[in-house]
């Protein structure tokens, strides 16, 4: 199959490289000339484990190329994926569909022969109808089937998620697209990954419902964690105890500082807005959003409480700045709100992150250290915000010898209290009464 991926961001690049690895001929297109130039030179613009090797081997095999120009590749394509960004629209939180609509118009102008146009970007219900309308209006002769095929990959585990998905969702109304999409996903289909065909609108909603449910699940356990602290229970045991119930499931029950990233915050908000517009509010999700927003800053207060209630003039070391490990993505990271709350209270903040430092520099003004130990020098408290492997086996004696006071706030429950306390630390975690 000849595939064009319009948009070479996280989803576009990972999907494009994986499709090439399946044996398809893929052109990844992006308007950002510097990005395409870098990709042609083997430089990957994001940190994602395994992606550089995957891109390199498929470029070498001649299956994966990069282009700033859309017309040529689209005219020869069997399938064109739209994988451009759908950021939150400033002011109202709706998904901004400007890039999707522009891509649809551009694709329409270049289409030749029957082509399946697939929306992979996360888009509100009804976007497929609008994409189809734009294509028909721009080029009435275009022979297209417009399909929805949301992506469920996680940053940091993107390739594994793409190649071993729990399911592939394809929303279509034109039956001609069914064999084409089955062929696109043939290797996964042969591996027996469930391929779920639905209507286009249903498929669009599945993506939002999945992300909203996961965000709600995390928020649920975060509130239970707070309750655990009050009543003398242990949230990790509660997670295990409820997660073993197959109806609940063990995943996404890790209590922490609140969810962040480029998806959950934006997608929960967009779903709430769509639902309000249709006079069918999703109040559980509205509440999830509110709880998660206030939780991030509350984590700053938790740190302040750990140093006796006053952090003015004291140094705080922050371990981990990205919204999760194995990514350099800082978007909506809990670290942003936590650092701000600490600075507002007069703290001097020093931070370290294995991969996120460059992006963090654009988002916060703190002292950037070259290691967790350097960050901790003379600090009155160290806060573990992101559970990078590099922070899982810290030399606690060394850390203690460097710090002004041995206090560790572990917002990811990476450590066990008795281990840390044995090294002379005051230890604070999440959801342990
Ligand atoms: C999320 C979904 O998990 C993917 O399925 C989806 O494809 C993606 O959004 C998207 O829409 O593109 P991602 O944002 O990369 O993926 O990362 P997650 O692993 O889901 O983590 C999101 C946030 O939740 C992080 O801040 C993480 O620390 C937090 N989290 C996750 C918890 O606090 N507890 C958990 O148990 C799990």
């Amino acid at each position: 199959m000849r595939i064009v991926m319009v948009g070479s961001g996280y989803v576009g690049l990972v999907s494009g490289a994986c499709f090439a690895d399946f044996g398809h001929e893929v052109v990844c297109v992006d308007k950002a000339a510097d990005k395409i130039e870098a990709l042609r030179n083997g430089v990957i613009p994001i940190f994602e484990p395994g992606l550089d090797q995957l891109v390199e081997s498929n470029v070498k095999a001649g299956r994966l190329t990069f282009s700033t120009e859309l017309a040529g590749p689209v005219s020869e394509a069997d399938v064109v994926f739209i994988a451009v960004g759908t950021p939150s629209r400033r002011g109202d939180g709706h998904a901004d569909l400007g890039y999707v609509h522009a891509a649809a118009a551009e694709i329409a102008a270049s289409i030749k022969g029957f082509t399946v146009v697939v929306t992979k970007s996360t888009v509100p219900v009804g976007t497929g109808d609008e994409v189809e309308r734009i294509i028909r209006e721009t080029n009435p002769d275009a022979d297209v089937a417009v399909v929805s095929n949301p992506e469920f990959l996680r940053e940091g585990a993107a390739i594994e998620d793409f190649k071993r998905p729990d399911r592939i969702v394809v929303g279509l109304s034109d039956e001609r697209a069914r064999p084409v999409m089955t062929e696109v996903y043939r290797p996964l289909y042969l591996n027996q990954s469930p391929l779920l065909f639905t209507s286009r609108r249903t498929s669009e909603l599945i993506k939002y419902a999945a992300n909203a449910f996961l965000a709600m699940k995390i928020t649920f356990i975060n509130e239970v964690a707070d309750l655990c602290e009050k009543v003398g229970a242990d949230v990790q045991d509660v997670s295990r105890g409820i997660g073993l119930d197959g109806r609940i499931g063990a995943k996404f029950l890790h209590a922490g500082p609140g969810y962040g990233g480029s998806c959950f915050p934006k997608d929960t908000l967009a779903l709430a807005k769509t639902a309000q517009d249709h006079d069918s509010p999703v109040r559980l999700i509205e509440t999830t959003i509110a709880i998660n927003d206030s939780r991030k800053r509350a984590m700053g207060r938790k740190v302040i409480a750990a140093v006796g209630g006053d952090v003015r003039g004291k140094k705080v070391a922050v371990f981990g700045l990205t919204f999760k490990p194995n990514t350099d993505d800082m978007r909506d990271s809990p670290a942003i709100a936590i650092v701000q709350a600490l600075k507002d209270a007069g703290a001097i903040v020093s931070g370290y992150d294995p991969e996120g430092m460059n992006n963090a520099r654009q988002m916060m003004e703190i002292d950037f250290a070259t290691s967790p130990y350097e960050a901790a020098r003379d600090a009155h408290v160290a806060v573990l915000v992101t559970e990078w492997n590099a922070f899982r086996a810290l030399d606690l004696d060394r850390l203690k010898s460097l710090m002004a006071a041995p206090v560790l706030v572990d917002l990811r429950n990476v450590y066990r209290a008795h281990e840390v306390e044995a090294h002379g630390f005051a230890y604070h975690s999440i959801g342990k009464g």
Side-chain angles (χ1 to χ4, degrees):
M1 290 257 145
R2 279 166 303 183
I3 295 176
V4 174
M5 193 61 66
V6 180
S8 301
Y10 229 109
V11 168
L13 195 55
V14 171
S15 310
C18 288
F19 282 142
D21 211 45
F22 291 172
H24 300 306
E25 217 177 282
V26 180
V27 184
C28 284
V29 177
D30 204 289
K31 282 205 183 317
D34 49 345
K35 189 192 276 184
I36 292 299
E37 187 56 29
L39 283 164
R40 282 181 172 151
N41 291 321
V43 179
I44 310 295
I46 48 172
F47 175 78
E48 178 63 42
L51 187 58
D52 41 3
Q53 294 100 305
L54 194 73
V55 168
E56 192 191 328
S57 63
N58 283 284
V59 167
K60 250 194 206 137
R63 290 188 297 261
L64 180 62
T65 53
F66 302 99
S67 172
T68 49
E69 189 245 355
L70 180 152
V74 165
S75 69
E76 292 176 357
D78 301 302
V79 187
V80 180
F81 282 88
I82 300 176
V84 296
T86 52
S88 274
R89 195 160 66 192
R90 268 178 205 281
D92 68 2
H94 277 280
D96 183 345
L97 295 174
Y99 299 117
V100 173
H101 293 163
E106 246 188 280
I107 291 164
S110 307
I111 274 176
K112 287 206 175 67
F114 174 62
T115 310
V116 178
V117 176
V118 189
T119 311
K120 210 171 226 333
S121 306
T122 299
V123 292
V125 177
T127 303
D129 302 357
E130 184 61 11
V131 165
E132 186 163 347
R133 194 194 62 73
I134 291 171
I135 293 176
R136 299 212 184 286
E137 193 181 275
T138 313
N139 179 358
D141 298 329
D143 186 13
V144 288
V146 175
V147 169
S148 158
N149 171 223
E151 187 45 58
F152 300 100
L153 56 81
R154 289 163 302 162
E155 293 186 14
I159 294 166
E160 175 68 15
D161 282 355
F162 194 94
K163 290 193 164 181
R164 266 177 266 282
D166 291 336
R167 78 305 203 186
I168 300 148
V169 175
V170 178
L172 50 80
S173 51
D174 185 333
E175 279 300 321
R176 291 180 301 166
R178 189 187 286 253
V180 176
M181 293 306 287
T182 308
E183 186 57 29
V184 165
Y185 282 106
R186 197 176 144 77
L188 301 184
Y189 178 67
L190 294 177
N191 271 350
Q192 305 203 322
S193 299
L195 197 49
L196 179 66
F197 287 99
T198 69
S199 78
R200 204 161 57 195
R201 286 182 167 237
T202 303
S203 164
E204 290 167 339
L205 189 56
I206 285 172
K207 170 67 192 182
Y208 279 100
N211 272 2
F213 188 86
L214 292 170
M216 192 171 68
K217 197 172 175 188
I218 296 166
T219 305
F220 172 81
I221 202 66
N222 283 343
E223 284 208 309
V224 171
D226 291 348
L227 182 59
C228 284
E229 289 178 17
K230 296 277 161 58
V231 301
D234 181 325
V235 74
Q236 282 179 301
D237 288 342
V238 173
S239 292
R240 214 165 298 130
I242 63 174
L244 284 168
D245 184 329
R247 293 168 301 176
I248 296 174
K251 292 179 181 166
F252 278 65
L253 281 180
H254 301 291
Y259 61 79
S262 63
C263 303
F264 288 172
K266 157 178 92 71
D267 294 347
T268 45
L269 195 57
L271 178 62
K273 293 293 171 185
T274 302
Q276 282 164 11
D277 282 356
H278 288 81
D279 204 18
S280 181
V282 283
R283 286 185 294 268
L284 283 171
I285 304 308
E286 290 173 6
T287 306
T288 296
I289 296 166
I291 296 169
N292 193 64
D293 281 348
S294 57
R295 181 172 189 80
K296 295 180 186 176
R297 205 169 158 89
M299 292 296 117
R301 293 198 295 277
K302 186 179 173 82
V303 175
I304 296 167
V307 289
D310 185 10
V311 83
R312 187 161 299 280
K314 292 181 181 159
K315 182 173 168 186
V316 180
V318 176
F319 298 165
L321 301 169
T322 51
F323 81 98
K324 61 183 277 188
N326 297 325
T327 178
D328 59 356
D329 201 335
M330 283 292 299
R331 283 176 284 180
D332 271 310
S333 173
I336 299 169
I338 295 169
V339 162
Q340 193 58 54
L342 292 168
K343 284 175 66 179
D344 289 348
I348 302 149
V349 180
S350 176
Y352 170 75
D353 189 279
E355 293 292 337
M357 303 284 264
N358 284 344
N359 287 335
R361 280 196 176 88
Q362 329 283 321
M363 296 202 164
M364 51 177 69
E365 280 183 28
I366 58 170
D367 296 330
F368 290 98
T370 53
S371 73
Y373 301 102
E374 191 195 319
R377 190 179 296 279
D378 300 326
H380 286 79
V381 56
V383 193
L384 199 161
V385 178
T386 317
E387 69 279 33
W388 284 93
N389 278 340
F391 306 140
R392 286 183 185 273
L394 291 167
D395 180 341
L396 293 174
D397 289 331
R398 182 173 169 207
L399 203 61
K400 185 176 171 225
S401 71
L402 290 166
M403 293 178 70
V407 182
L408 179 63
V409 180
D410 177 1
L411 299 180
R412 299 287 184 168
N413 288 344
V414 165
Y415 287 93
R416 301 251 165 267
H418 64 272
E419 290 165 4
V420 185
E421 283 161 4
H423 290 269
F425 274 84
Y427 178 70
H428 304 262
S429 55
I430 295 279
K432 312 245 175 167

